[in-house]
Amino acid sequence: MSETKKYSLAEVKAHNDNNSSWVVINNNVYDVTPFLNEHPGGEEVLLEQAGRDASDPFEDVGHSSDARELMAKYKIGELVESERKQVKEKIPDWSSGNETATTDSTLKSWVIPIILAIIATIVYRFYFLS
Ligand code: HEM
């Protein structure tokens, strides 16, 4: 088994035209030169991103799982450890802090008025109906 090759952003940057086009997507390095003509999104968009980190534009397009499988064919290595960044794949994260906070405040906005209504009913019955 061969070890995964590591590249720096500077090395990737040198491959930025149609003779040699490399892109970085989610910390992986791809040589998309043979794919330029075949890319369903056109070669223009790939050439625009050639030599750079194209993770955000790639994710913004919302590529299919087929596209993600196809990528493996063009992977030549990974970004060096020191230049890696956090991967933001567009998959909803239900366990994120924000979601919990929203659920929490929704719960409070229901529970508090209901408790107040119950107290008001008890007070009303106690004072006015006795
Ligand atoms: C190895 C890298 C890539 C692979 C294998 C790939 C593959 C594909 C495939 C298979 C499609 C057809 C639609 C789908 O299945 O999602 C597609 C569409 C597209 N791709 Fe890529 N792509 C790559 C990189 C990029 C990058 C870096 C961009 C930069 C913006 C890009 C932009 C687009 C656009 C604009 C479309 C058209 C979307 C549409 O028509 O709705 N792709 N790509």
Side-chain angles (χ1 to χ4, degrees), residues 13-67:
K13 206 173 171 183
H15 302 265
N16 61 3
D17 57 26
N18 53 9
N19 291 320
S20 184
S21 318
W22 292 8
V23 285
V24 175
I25 299 168
N26 297 336
N27 299 324
N28 294 315
V29 181
Y30 299 91
D31 179 355
V32 292
T33 323
F35 184 59
L36 289 174
N37 288 326
E38 293 165 35
H39 182 222
E43 70 173 334
E44 282 299 307
V45 283
L46 281 184
L47 283 173
E48 229 169 73
Q49 300 302 327
R52 328 196 208 158
D53 188 325
S55 311
D56 290 343
F58 179 84
E59 294 297 346
D60 286 347
V61 169
H63 279 89
S64 65
S65 48
D66 279 355

Side-chain angles (χ1 to χ4, degrees), residues 71-85:
M71 288 168 85
K73 205 169 137 189
Y74 303 102
K75 182 171 166 180
I76 53 168
E78 290 175 7
L79 216 52
V80 288
E81 218 63 50
S82 58
E83 292 182 336
R84 295 168 80 89
K85 58 177 199 178

